[in-house]
Amino acid sequence: MRVTVNRKAHFNSAHRLYRKDWSFEKNDAIFGKCNNPNYHGHNYELIASVTGEIDQETGYVIDVKILKDIIKAEVEDAFDHKNLNLDVPEFKDLNPTAENIVVVIYNKIKAKLDANLDLEVTLYETPRNFVSYSGN
């Protein structure tokens, strides 16, 4: 029997959407106000959903405390109150769009989970704008 365990988390980060190889005008046309050279911020909400078989000894798919600690170390400590473009190595050469952020987060969490567990990450950039990624 496969069950999904969900954990919510929160972090605040600033970013700027732009490509270094494009002119300011082209960046402005594509990314609009998200291309602000002084950056802009979001209060991100995250849901990590881990799916797997229930362990017959513990009754857990994953101990939520373990999932909480992984999210804290891999996401909250790494991204909270940071400028994604300047402070987070994964975005040195990767545009920090919501789509790219969710893939980076997925890869960081997935690397810490047992291989038999499936993961889906949903990232809310705003209450109405969100993305999901499950490794496909």
Side-chain angles (χ1 to χ4, degrees):
M1 173 175 6
R2 292 176 58 80
V3 173
T4 301
V5 175
N6 300 284
R7 173 77 187 178
K8 282 186 170 183
H10 177 86
F11 62 95
N12 300 315
S13 296
H15 68 160
R16 176 185 181 198
L17 301 185
Y18 77 107
R19 290 183 53 113
K20 296 172 190 171
D21 58 332
W22 288 359
S23 69
F24 180 84
E25 292 74 23
K26 183 170 183 179
N27 274 296
D28 209 43
I30 300 296
F31 300 117
K33 66 181 180 179
C34 295
N35 177 44
N36 181 342
N38 294 316
Y39 305 93
H40 68 282
H42 294 282
N43 300 316
Y44 291 96
E45 297 289 339
L46 169 73
I47 301 172
S49 302
V50 177
T51 302
E53 296 290 328
I54 299 173
D55 182 284
Q56 294 306 303
E57 290 183 13
T58 65
Y60 291 155
V61 169
I62 184 172
D63 184 334
V64 176
K65 169 83 166 80
I66 291 170
L67 183 56
K68 173 186 171 192
D69 291 346
I70 291 170
I71 293 168
K72 181 172 181 347
E74 297 300 319
V75 181
E76 293 171 328
D77 291 349
F79 293 2
D80 192 38
H81 287 83
K82 303 282 175 63
N83 181 315
L84 298 178
N85 301 76
L86 302 177
D87 302 328
V88 179
E90 289 87 350
F91 299 107
K92 180 179 182 297
D93 296 311
L94 181 65
N95 206 4
T97 62
E99 294 87 341
N100 284 332
I101 297 168
V102 79
V103 171
V104 167
I105 290 172
Y106 171 92
N107 289 334
K108 290 169 68 77
I109 294 173
K110 182 70 171 153
K112 301 295 182 179
L113 296 177
D114 290 343
N116 62 326
L117 296 173
D118 293 327
L119 174 66
E120 180 175 53
V121 176
T122 301
L123 179 69
Y124 287 80
E125 192 171 69
T126 72
R128 291 183 295 235
N129 298 335
F130 58 97
V131 295
S132 296
Y133 183 65
S134 57
N136 306 352

